Amino acid sequence: MTETMSEPVAAGAVRLERRNDGVGILWLDVPGQRVNTLSPAMFDEFAARLNEVLRDRTVRGIVIASAKPDGFIAGADLHVLEEIDGATEAAQLSQRGNELLLRLDRAPKPVVAAVHGAALGGGLEVALACDHIVASDDPSTVLGLPEVMLGLLPGAGGTQRLPRRVGLIAALPLLLTGKKVRARKAKRLGLVDTVTSPGGIADTAARLALQLAQSGTKTRRRSWLRRLTELGPGRRLVLKRAREEVQRKSRGLYPAPLAILDCVETGLSQGLEAGLARESKEFGALVVSPQASSLIRLFHWQNELKKDEDDAAPLPVQRLGVLGAGFMGAGIASVSVGSGPVVVRDLTDDSLSSAARTVADGLKKQRRSGALTAIEADRRWHRLQLTTDVAAIRGCDMVIEAVFEDLELKRKVLAEAEAELAADAVFATNTSALPIADIAKEAKHPERVLGMHYFSPVPKMPLLELVAAKQTAPWAIATARAVGIAQGKTVIVVGDGPGFYTTRILAPFLNEAVVLVEEGARIEDVDRALRDFGYPVGPLALIDEIGLDVGAHVARDLGAKFAERGTAPSDALPKLFAAGYAGRKNQQGFYRYPPPGKKARKEPNDSVYAHTGGAPRRHFAREDVQDRLALLMVNEAVRCLEEGILRCPRDGDIGAVMGLGFPPLLGGPFRYLDQRGAGAVRDRLEQLAQAHGTRFTPANLLVEHANEQRAFYPS
C-alpha cells in the first residue's frame, strides 16, 4: 500500500490529503450528518480545498472521495432550497455550483471520482464534472439524478454533462424519470468508467489519476451513436419524441420535465456555457414553484414517518408467519425474507408452489439489478419455509394473515393461529375494508390483533396502512410498524372502522365515477378528466385493475357507512359483475382489453352502458367531473380526521398520494385544501350538494376551518 501523509486543512466538510505518490484526495465528510449533502457552506470549503490542490505543483492527480462509510454525496440540502426567497436567489445558487464544477471540469490535472454508496443529484453532478468515475460494485452504490421527482431539475450541470457522457438517448430516461442505476449498469451506459470492489476504492482512484496524468489525456472516446444524436437532425428527432412522451404522461401538469428538455437542447445546440446558464434560470423558477413545494414536503414526510416515535417499544420479530400463499401473501413473503425466516402456510401445495415462484422471481430480479449479491439472494431464499401445517407457525413472533376478504374466514384463521401462537405474538390481518374489531371479536387476545393493509402489488407499492383497533396494545402497533419499515414501506397508523382511511376515501371517489356513467358520461371522458387533474390512472380504469368483483365487495362492506348519510352507493358494480364484467382479469370491464400476450390498446367498452341505466351519452364539463370526484375524496379525508381515524393531516396526505395516486403535485387532500382554500371548497361542495345530493355535504371540520379561515397546516 502506498504510504500517505495527511494534512488536515480545516475541521469542516472537506479535508485535503496529500499523498507521497503525487495524488491529492479531497475527502468529503459533512460534520454531524450520516450522509454528505451539498450546501453553500460546503461549496465554499470545496472551492478552498480545490484551490489549494490546483496550486500545489507536487500534486499530479486529484481524487474526490467520501469519508462516510456508505455514501458519496446524497444530493443537495433541501432545507437550504426551502429557505430561498425567490427564483433569482435560487438561480444564483445554481450558478455558484456551476462555476465551481466548471473549474473542476477544466482543471489542468486529471480528476477521478471514487464513488461508493449513493451518488444522487448534486452528488452525481460532482462526479460528472470529473474526468473519470470509478464506482464500487456494491448494492449500496446507486447513481442517479432524482431531482425531477421533487419537481426540480439538476442545477449543477447534470442536464449538460450527462448527455455528453452517455449520449442523448441514454441520458433522457435518467433525467426525465429520476431512475437510479447501480454500478454495473452505469458501466454499460458509459456513466461509470471503472467498477471495482468497495475496499480501497480511494487507492484505486488514485492509481487511475496517476495513469491519466502519465498519459497526458483527459478526452473520453464517444460512440458513433452518441455522435449521431448530438448532430442537429438526430438530436431534434429524439427531443421531439421525448417532448411528445412527456406531454402524454404528465399532461403538462409538471413543468420540470419540459424544462429539462429545454436545458438539454440549449446545451447541445448552443454549447456548454449556454446550457448551464439556461439550467440555472430554469432551476430558479422550479425551486419556487408550487409543484416543487408539494413534492419536497412529501419527501420530508416520508422521512419523518421512518422516525416517528411509538407509545411503546416494539418486540423483536425474529420469525414471521404468513397465512395464505395467494398473490398478496406471496408478495408479503417477498418483502419479508430480507429480515429473517418466513413461514408461509396455505392449504394447497399448488398455492405454495406459486408463492415460491413469486419469491424466487423477485430475488432473481433483485440480483440481476445489483440490488442483492448472489450470496445474499441465496441466503434469503433459504429463509423461506413453505407448509400446509398450521403448527409450523409455532415460535413465530408475528403472523400476517392474507386470506380472502371474508369476515368469517378471517375469524377462523385467527382462531387457528391463536391456538399455536404465544400470548405476545402479534396477529396482523391484511384487509382493505373489514373492521379489525369485528375480526377480533372472538379472539382470546384482541390486544395483539391489528390490521396491515398492503397495496397491490406488494413489492412495488410503497405504502402500508397500519390499522389499530381500540383494544390493540401499543406494543403490538410498534412491533408491526417496525416490521413494515423493515419491509421498506412508508407506514401510516390509522384508526379502525369500515374502510379505515384509504379504502374509505377511495370508495366515494370510484362510486361517483360510476354515477357519472349512469348519468350519461362517456367512460373515456371521466377518466381523461381525472388524469388531467393529476391522477395517474382514471377511476374507471382503476376499477378494472382492482376488479369489479372486489369493487362490488367493498361497496357492499362500506354501504352501511355511507347510508348513514342518506347516500347509498350505486348498485351498478354488482350488476356488471353478475353480467360477466370482471375487469382486466377477464378482459371485460369498463374497457375491453386485448388477450394476454397481444399488443393492443384497451378500448372503452360501450356495452357497459346498457347495464348502467342506458342514458344517452352527453358532455360533462371537465371541471365539474374533477370536482365531483376529487372533492368527495377530500371531504371524506376531512371526516376521517374529524372522527380520529387519522392522527394528523400529514398521514392523510401521505396515504392518499402513495396509496391511491392523489396528484402528488397537489400534495394530498389537506394540502390541496389549504391551497384552494377551505372556504372555497366548502362553497363548492354546497353547490354540488344542492345539485346532486347530500353526499356532497361538507364535513363539519371543513366548515369550521372555512368559517375560521384556518389552514390545516401552519404557514
Side-chain angles (χ1 to χ4, degrees):
M1 180 179 291
T2 304
E3 186 182 31
T4 64
M5 174 180 61
S6 296
E7 293 182 11
V9 178
V14 187
R15 173 173 61 86
L16 170 59
E17 175 189 345
R18 293 183 176 88
R19 293 165 49 118
N20 288 340
D21 58 5
V23 174
I25 301 181
L26 296 177
W27 290 101
L28 311 178
D29 192 7
V30 178
Q33 293 187 11
R34 188 178 58 84
V35 296
N36 291 316
T37 56
L38 298 177
S39 65
M42 189 177 183
F43 286 169
D44 291 341
E45 285 197 52
F46 191 93
R49 302 292 83 75
L50 182 61
N51 283 341
E52 282 198 56
V53 76
L54 290 176
R55 287 197 302 263
D56 191 336
R57 294 183 179 180
T58 67
V59 173
R60 294 186 294 155
I62 303 168
V63 169
I64 299 175
S66 171
K68 304 292 185 186
D70 293 307
F72 183 65
I73 304 173
D77 186 338
L78 293 178
H79 296 292
V80 172
L81 298 184
E82 290 174 299
E83 293 172 0
I84 286 175
D85 290 331
T88 300
E89 184 182 345
Q92 290 171 346
L93 180 64
S94 170
Q95 289 166 3
R96 282 185 63 190
N98 276 326
E99 289 168 3
L100 175 59
L101 293 188
L102 263 179
R103 292 180 56 215
L104 189 67
D105 193 352
R106 295 171 176 175
K109 304 174 183 183
V111 184
V112 178
V115 176
H116 172 63
L120 301 175
L124 180 55
E125 289 176 294
V126 170
L128 286 170
C130 299
D131 302 303
H132 194 98
I133 301 175
V134 55
S136 69
D137 186 16
D138 187 272
S140 69
T141 298
V142 290
L143 304 94
L145 296 171
E147 287 91 343
V148 70
M149 299 173 71
L150 298 176
L152 304 172
L153 57 71
T159 65
Q160 306 304 305
R161 293 190 179 91
L162 184 63
R164 286 169 169 78
R165 180 176 277 266
V166 304
L168 185 60
I169 292 175
L172 288 182
L174 299 179
L175 286 165
L176 296 174
T177 68
K179 181 180 178 182
K180 303 168 190 172
V181 295
R182 289 187 166 80
R184 289 195 177 275
K185 183 171 183 180
K187 176 71 163 60
R188 292 195 296 271
L189 291 173
L191 175 56
V192 162
D193 300 289
T194 302
V195 175
T196 187
S197 59
I201 189 170
D203 290 332
T204 301
R207 289 194 295 271
L208 289 167
L210 288 174
Q211 289 173 15
L212 289 173
Q214 290 164 3
S215 68
T217 178
K218 296 174 55 172
T219 305
R220 295 169 52 84
R221 293 184 61 187
R222 297 182 300 166
S223 69
W224 67 269
L225 183 60
R226 278 190 53 198
R227 291 196 299 271
L228 178 63
T229 56
E230 288 171 6
L231 295 174
R235 180 182 71 242
R236 286 192 291 271
L237 178 62
V238 171
L239 289 171
K240 178 177 180 291
R241 291 183 175 175
R243 288 182 191 281
E244 291 170 352
E245 185 68 6
V246 165
Q247 286 284 13
R248 185 182 70 82
K249 289 185 175 180
S250 73
R251 311 184 85 80
L253 297 171
Y254 293 86
L258 292 174
I260 287 170
L261 291 173
D262 289 341
C263 293
V264 170
E265 185 169 23
T266 300
L268 292 179
S269 62
Q270 300 178 32
L272 176 62
E273 293 193 8
L276 292 175
R278 180 68 181 269
E279 185 182 87
S280 293
K281 178 183 176 182
E282 298 289 352
F283 179 80
L286 291 173
V287 165
V288 296
S289 68
Q291 293 91 342
S293 176
S294 293
L295 294 169
I296 290 172
R297 185 175 293 203
L298 285 168
F299 177 79
H300 285 320
W301 286 340
Q302 290 177 60
N303 288 329
E304 284 178 13
L305 283 165
K306 295 175 185 176
K307 303 171 185 175
D308 266 8
E309 294 186 3
D310 295 295
D311 294 333
L315 299 181
V317 176
Q318 298 175 339
R319 183 179 174 87
L320 180 72
V322 178
L323 304 177
F327 184 69
M328 295 300 290
I332 294 168
S334 291
V335 298
S336 302
V337 290
S339 300
V342 177
V343 179
V344 180
R345 189 252 176 169
D346 202 285
L347 297 178
T348 69
D349 289 328
D350 286 346
S351 294
L352 293 170
S353 296
S354 177
R357 287 193 297 272
T358 297
V359 175
D361 289 346
L363 292 172
K364 186 183 298 183
K365 184 176 180 181
Q366 289 177 285
R367 192 176 70 246
R368 285 177 176 171
S369 72
L372 292 178
T373 64
I375 292 174
E376 178 59 22
D378 189 58
R379 180 183 294 117
R380 294 187 181 192
W381 172 250
H382 283 91
R383 288 172 177 164
L384 182 67
Q385 178 185 347
L386 305 168
T387 182
T388 58
D389 184 4
V390 69
I393 67 171
R394 292 175 189 167
C396 286
D397 306 296
M398 178 175 175
V399 295
I400 303 173
E401 165 269 302
V403 302
F404 184 70
E405 193 87 339
D406 179 83
L407 179 59
E408 292 307 318
L409 176 59
K410 288 182 178 290
R411 283 176 174 172
K412 179 183 177 183
V413 171
L414 171 56
E416 289 177 349
E418 282 199 311
E420 307 294 340
L421 296 172
D424 61 351
V426 176
F427 182 93
T429 174
N430 175 48
T431 174
S432 62
L434 296 174
I436 306 307
D438 290 353
I439 295 172
K441 185 176 181 180
E442 299 171 5
K444 296 178 182 176
H445 298 282
E447 73 281 357
R448 64 175 175 181
V449 181
L450 46 75
M452 292 180 80
H453 177 201
Y454 291 87
F455 295 76
S456 180
V458 176
K460 290 185 178 180
M461 294 297 285
L463 186 72
L464 172 60
E465 185 179 30
L466 197 63
V467 188
K470 289 182 179 179
Q471 71 272 22
T472 306
W475 58 264
I477 298 169
T479 301
R481 201 174 79 85
V483 167
I485 291 173
Q487 292 170 336
K489 303 300 180 185
T490 296
V491 184
I492 61 170
V493 181
V494 303
D496 193 16
F500 322 128
Y501 172 64
T502 54
T503 303
R504 177 171 162 183
I505 69 170
L506 180 64
F509 174 86
L510 298 181
N511 182 73
E512 195 66 19
V514 177
V515 170
L516 277 162
V517 173
E518 291 178 304
E519 292 177 4
R522 292 194 173 277
I523 293 166
E524 61 270 33
D525 290 346
V526 173
D527 277 356
R528 186 183 302 115
L530 272 296
R531 291 190 350 257
D532 287 345
F533 188 73
Y535 284 89
V537 178
L540 298 168
L542 180 58
I543 291 174
D544 280 357
E545 295 293 334
I546 295 171
L548 273 73
D549 53 339
V550 176
H553 194 77
V554 170
R556 184 199 69 197
D557 290 339
L558 293 178
K561 181 70 178 177
F562 296 114
E564 294 173 2
R565 306 182 207 138
T567 56
S570 165
D571 61 356
L573 289 184
K575 287 180 179 178
L576 284 166
F577 181 63
Y581 296 83
R584 185 179 278 278
K585 62 185 69 174
N586 75 341
Q587 290 86 54
Q588 290 291 326
F590 287 95
Y591 293 86
R592 290 190 300 270
Y593 298 86
K598 286 197 174 182
K599 289 186 177 180
R601 290 186 177 182
K602 66 179 185 287
E603 298 290 341
N605 193 351
D606 291 351
S607 67
V608 163
Y609 300 140
H611 300 274
T612 54
R617 297 304 105 188
R618 61 190 179 93
H619 172 73
F620 286 75
R622 182 180 64 173
E623 292 76 12
D624 287 345
V625 174
Q626 292 170 343
D627 278 353
R628 284 179 63 173
L629 273 72
L631 292 188
L632 273 178
M633 179 178 280
V634 168
N635 198 38
E636 200 63 34
V638 176
R639 283 199 177 97
C640 288
L641 182 63
E642 181 181 308
E643 296 171 15
I645 298 295
L646 285 174
R647 298 185 301 176
C648 58
R650 176 203 66 184
D651 291 3
D653 283 343
I654 283 286
V657 170
M658 299 184 70
L660 305 179
F662 189 93
L665 78 159
L666 300 177
F670 295 97
R671 184 158 167 79
Y672 176 63
L673 264 171
D674 283 354
Q675 291 171 346
R676 186 163 173 177
V681 173
R682 174 203 58 197
D683 294 346
R684 180 62 172 140
L685 283 169
E686 288 175 348
Q687 291 173 359
L688 291 170
Q690 188 172 5
H692 302 290
T694 58
R695 62 186 180 278
F696 290 99
T697 301
N700 292 333
L701 184 60
L702 175 55
V703 173
E704 288 179 17
H705 277 253
N707 292 343
E708 298 171 11
Q709 297 183 338
R710 181 158 48 100
F712 284 91
Y713 293 103
S715 57

